């Protein structure tokens, strides 16, 4: 089976940030994304308080380089004022060449 | 990019267990969680029959220690009588210090 | 904590493929699955155009062998004409014996 090792980037953010995060992901070089609804609660670096409310989960399969770019941008742009989680996982993707 | 290696714990459970599982996750030491709706089918250790119906997916980014505590509690408490899946993955998290 | 290392297979496909993909996953040997709604956009190997619309995400925890079978079938069957993403991740599962 012909697979490629890539990164799955997941960003969970307040739902009002959906369009901005999607644009960020594409600008960083992702060739596509998947979004889904979620609901979150917790201490996510938001100053002085906890977040609880509707979230959006944005996922993209990308190269390590694009993953780093997304995470850097997201952390720099949103972490200070918004409830945002961002992480990467290693995935084995079929026909990985179409993601890079 | 400053990342920390942590665990993403995922629990997929019958939807009626949502509040209990969320409480378990927080009691085990998670500082937040994300929940989403799902629908499941399958053999999940439920005695004598298969499960099919509305599920909830609860996710939390935590330390290995908290992950172990969550999985242990969940398996001990629910596996005998409920349709529950629980697993962990390794994730690279930006600003991981806020999860531990 | 008694865990087993298995594969989480994720397939993100156009929603009209839901029943077919679910059947494929079970036929390949999965003992259960979880489905959730998503919305996708991107270049996914669909000939001549980009996909944008309602997706379904199908997930299953399986052995490496079953994972390979699912990915092979999905890529052979759908990649030419449909917008489909398929990847695997390594997961540590509690009571993993019930998945294999």
């Amino acid at each position: 089976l012909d697979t490629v090792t890539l990164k799955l980037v997941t960003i969970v953010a307040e739902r009002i940030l959906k369009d901005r995060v999607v644009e960020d992901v594409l600008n960083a070089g992702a060739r596509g994304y998947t979004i889904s609804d979620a609901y979150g609660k917790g201490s996510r670096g938001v100053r002085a308080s906890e977040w609880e409310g509707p979230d959006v989960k944005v996922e993209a399969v990308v190269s390590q380089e694009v993953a780093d770019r997304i995470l850097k941008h997201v952390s720099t742009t949103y972490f200070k004022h918004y409830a945002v989680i961002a992480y990467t996982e290693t995935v084995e993707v079929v026909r990985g060449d179409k993601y890079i």
Side-chain angles (χ1 to χ4, degrees), chain A:
Chain A
L1 189 65
D2 175 35
T3 62
V4 177
T5 302
L6 290 169
K7 293 293 168 180
L8 173 67
V9 177
T10 302
I11 299 155
V12 181
E14 302 171 44
R15 209 165 293 171
I16 54 163
L17 294 177
K18 183 174 79 172
D19 292 345
R20 289 178 63 186
V21 170
V22 161
E23 203 179 319
D24 294 338
V25 166
L26 294 175
N27 284 343
R31 300 192 51 188
Y33 60 83
T34 305
I35 55 180
S36 53
D37 288 337
Y39 180 93
K41 185 176 189 314
S43 170
R44 301 197 191 157
V46 182
R47 202 185 314 187
S49 76
E50 296 218 335
W51 162 254
E52 177 167 0
D55 278 337
V56 64
K57 182 192 277 191
V58 180
E59 294 170 298
V61 175
V62 297
S63 67
Q64 176 76 63
E65 187 191 343
V66 171
D68 287 348
R69 212 178 295 148
I70 293 171
L71 290 194
K72 189 166 188 176
H73 180 83
V74 164
S75 61
T76 307
T77 310
Y78 303 112
F79 274 24
K80 197 165 178 183
H81 298 294
Y82 296 98
V84 174
I85 297 173
Y87 55 81
T88 65
E89 295 164 271
T90 300
V91 291
E92 299 294 321
V93 183
V94 186
R95 301 262 189 90
D97 52 309
K98 68 187 177 191
Y99 300 97
I100 50 181

